Structure formats: structure tokens, C-alpha cells
Amino acid sequence: QITGNNVMVFDLFLDDSKMYVGSPDGIYISEDVGKSWVNRKHPVWSDVGKIFAIRNNIFAVSNNGTFFSPDNGINWDSQFHSYSSLDFL
């Protein structure tokens, strides 16, 4: 849950129905125009610098590589193991 006014944002991605925020604490997702947020964090990574999403499929580039979630951030798979993978997004 995002609380307070001091959340550091590295990236913001919007689609038709959701907002995605990349932060030092992982990814936050809002489905109600920012009124409430859910944190979807992989246990291995933090500092999400880039996000891209299509429907419930999320790509996230962090300090530990690039990760993919097919289910809106509930489960994650590692795609690449280098921060330079940011270049493909």
C-alpha cells in the first residue's frame, strides 16, 4: 500500500484501466485511478526502473535484471540477468 506523500517513483506506465509505478520498493498497481495501490514485488529485486504492461502481462526492469509476470504481478519469471536489458524496453 502506498502511504504518505513521499514515494520515490522511477517509472510510471498507464494503460486503459491500470496505473503502474516502479519504485525502490517494487511495483505498485492501481485499478481505481490512484485511490488505492497494491504492491507486487518479487522477493529478489527492488528498484524497478522501467515498466511495460499489456493486459495482465507486466515486464519490469530492476537492478537485478528483467522480469516478466503473466498474471498482473502475482508470479514473476526472470527474463534477463543484466540491468542493460533496459535497452530493449
Side-chain angles (χ1 to χ4, degrees):
Q1 190 73 3
I2 293 179
T3 59
N5 296 324
N6 297 318
V7 175
M8 184 179 294
V9 174
F10 295 144
D11 192 32
L12 173 67
F13 183 83
L14 308 171
D15 70 9
D16 291 337
S17 61
K18 296 177 189 156
M19 298 171 66
Y20 303 85
V21 170
S23 76
D25 192 34
I27 293 176
Y28 289 91
I29 301 171
S30 175
E31 297 187 35
D32 58 7
V33 195
K35 292 178 185 172
S36 63
W37 295 88
V38 175
N39 183 276
R40 297 289 191 214
K41 182 176 183 178
H42 187 280
V44 174
W45 52 260
S46 62
D47 292 342
V48 175
K50 191 69 177 170
I51 304 168
F52 180 76
I54 301 173
R55 296 180 195 91
N56 288 328
N57 300 297
I58 305 171
F59 289 89
V61 179
S62 78
N63 58 342
N64 293 91
T66 300
F67 295 83
F68 169 71
S69 173
D71 54 11
N72 205 36
I74 296 170
N75 297 292
W76 293 92
D77 291 319
S78 176
Q79 298 297 305
F80 303 97
H81 300 284
S82 168
Y83 196 81
S84 64
S85 58
L86 176 65
D87 295 336
F88 89 93
L89 294 175

